[in-house]
C-alpha cells in the first residue's frame, strides 16, 4: 500500500533546521527590502528660474484640481493642479534659502514660493501634517498619478476653460477660440467679427 514517506529526524536536528530556515527567510526579506529601496524612482521638478528644485519618490500618492479662491489667487490661474505625497517622500534638492513662506492663519495652511521668480512650490495644511502638496506643473515628467479629483468645484469660475470645442481664428495662426453659446451673437461681437480685426497690431500689440 502506498503511503507518505516520513523522515525520522531527531528533535534536536529538527529544531536546528527550523532556526536555520527562519534565519534564511529573514535574510532574504532584508535583501528584498534593500533592493526595493535601491530601485525607488525619483521625479524632479523646479521653479521657473531654476533656483529651487524639488524631488519626490515615484509614484505620488494622488493628484487633484483645486478650485478654491485661495489657490486661484496664489497661482493667478483659474485653478491649481497639485500632486500630494507623503512628507517623507518629498525633499528640496536645491535652493532651500530661496524659498519664502506665507502662513494663512484663517485656513491653517502654509504656502511656499520661490523668492526669485514667485513660482508656487509647496502647499501644506495643518489638518494633514504628514502630507505635502506640490503644483503638478513643476514636473515635466510623469508623477505616477492622474489628476482625477476636484476640490471646491462649486467655486469653479464661469470664465474658466472646461474643454469646450475650439475653432481656429481666421487670419491668426496658432490662435483658437470658443464660439459664443447662442447662435445669435451680440451686436458688439458681430460688428467686431465683421470688421475682420481692422488692425492686427492693435489687437495683438508686440
Amino acid at each position: 500500500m502506498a503511503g507518505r514517506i516520513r523522515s525520522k529526524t531527531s528533535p534536536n536536528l529538527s529544531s536546528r533546521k527550523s532556526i536555520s530556515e527562519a534565519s534564511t527567510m529573514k535574510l532574504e526579506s532584508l535583501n528584498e527590502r534593500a533592493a526595493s529601496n535601491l530601485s525607488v524612482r525619483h521625479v524632479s521638478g523646479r521653479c521657473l528660474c531654476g533656483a529651487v528644485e524639488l524631488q519626490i519618490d515615484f509614484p505620488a500618492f494622488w493628484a487633484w484640481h483645486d478650485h478654491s479662491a485661495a489657490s486661484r489667487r496664489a497661482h493667478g490661474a483659474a485653478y491649481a493642479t497639485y500632486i500630494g505625497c507623503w512628507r517623507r517622500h518629498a525633499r528640496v534638492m536645491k535652493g532651500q534659502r530661496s524659498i519664502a513662506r506665507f502662513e494663512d492663519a484663517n485656513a491653517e495652511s502654509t504656502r511656499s514660493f520661490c523668492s526669485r521668480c514667485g513660482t508656487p512650490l509647496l502647499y501644506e495644511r495643518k489638518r494633514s501634517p504628514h502630507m505635502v502638496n506640490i503644483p503638478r506643473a513643476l514636473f515635466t515628467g510623469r508623477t505616477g498619478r492622474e489628476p482625477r479629483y476636484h476640490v471646491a468645484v462649486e467655486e469653479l469660475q464661469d470664465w474658466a476653460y472646461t474643454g469646450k470645442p475650439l475653432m481656429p481664428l481666421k487670419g491668426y495662426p496658432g490662435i483658437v477660440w470658443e464660439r459664443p453659446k447662442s447662435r445669435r451673437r451680440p451686436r458688439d461681437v458681430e460688428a467686431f467679427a465683421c470688421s475682420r480685426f481692422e488692425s492686427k497690431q492693435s489687437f495683438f500689440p508686440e
Side-chain angles (χ1 to χ4, degrees), residues 52-115:
V52 180
E53 183 176 325
L54 306 175
Q55 186 184 82
I56 66 166
D57 294 344
F58 183 95
F61 184 75
W62 73 315
W64 49 288
H65 302 293
D66 186 353
H67 301 276
S68 67
S71 288
R72 186 167 63 248
R73 293 192 177 97
H75 287 250
Y79 57 86
T81 303
Y82 292 103
I83 58 167
C85 60
W86 297 107
R87 186 179 296 275
R88 65 177 181 274
H89 292 168
R91 59 201 68 88
V92 178
M93 302 300 293
K94 173 185 172 185
Q96 182 71 55
R97 295 183 178 180
S98 297
I99 298 179
R101 294 164 61 87
F102 168 71
E103 295 185 8
D104 188 340
N106 294 328
E108 296 186 327
S109 63
T110 302
R111 296 178 184 272
S112 300
F113 306 85
C114 173
S115 60

Side-chain angles (χ1 to χ4, degrees), residues 3-200:
R4 184 178 300 175
I5 299 175
R6 302 179 183 275
S7 60
K8 297 180 180 180
T9 310
S10 64
N12 291 337
L13 184 58
S14 178
S15 61
R16 289 177 189 173
K17 187 176 179 181
S18 62
I19 293 173
S20 176
E21 289 178 350
S23 300
T24 302
M25 291 176 62
K26 186 175 182 181
L27 182 60
E28 289 177 353
S29 177
L30 290 173
N31 289 337
E32 289 177 1
R33 193 175 301 174
S36 176
N37 290 335
L38 290 174
S39 63
V40 171
R41 286 181 56 189
H42 304 296
V43 185
S44 297
R46 68 178 184 87
C47 66
L48 177 62
C49 70
V52 180
E53 183 176 325
L54 306 175
Q55 186 184 82
I56 66 166
D57 294 344
F58 183 95
F61 184 75
W62 73 315
W64 49 288
H65 302 293
D66 186 353
H67 301 276
S68 67
S71 288
R72 186 167 63 248
R73 293 192 177 97
H75 287 250
Y79 57 86
T81 303
Y82 292 103
I83 58 167
C85 60
W86 297 107
R87 186 179 296 275
R88 65 177 181 274
H89 292 168
R91 59 201 68 88
V92 178
M93 302 300 293
K94 173 185 172 185
Q96 182 71 55
R97 295 183 178 180
S98 297
I99 298 179
R101 294 164 61 87
F102 168 71
E103 295 185 8
D104 188 340
N106 294 328
E108 296 186 327
S109 63
T110 302
R111 296 178 184 272
S112 300
F113 306 85
C114 173
S115 60
R116 290 183 58 188
C117 63
T119 300
L121 299 171
L122 303 169
Y123 173 35
E124 305 164 78
R125 294 177 291 184
K126 187 177 180 180
R127 65 175 180 270
S128 303
H130 302 298
M131 297 290 293
V132 62
N133 305 296
I134 306 174
R136 174 63 180 86
L138 302 189
F139 301 88
T140 55
R142 293 184 177 276
T143 60
R145 292 289 180 265
E146 294 183 11
R148 297 178 178 273
Y149 306 92
H150 294 258
V151 173
V153 69
E154 68 278 1
E155 297 185 46
L156 175 67
Q157 300 298 292
D158 57 3
W159 46 264
Y161 176 63
T162 55
K164 295 179 181 178
L166 300 172
M167 301 294 294
L169 184 60
K170 190 174 181 180
Y172 296 87
I175 306 296
V176 295
W177 70 304
E178 286 184 44
R179 291 187 181 277
K181 294 180 180 179
S182 59
R183 293 183 179 179
R184 185 176 181 180
R185 293 177 293 181
R187 275 185 167 180
D188 55 343
V189 175
E190 188 173 356
F192 182 70
C194 291
S195 68
R196 294 290 304 273
F197 309 112
E198 295 178 352
S199 173
K200 292 184 179 181

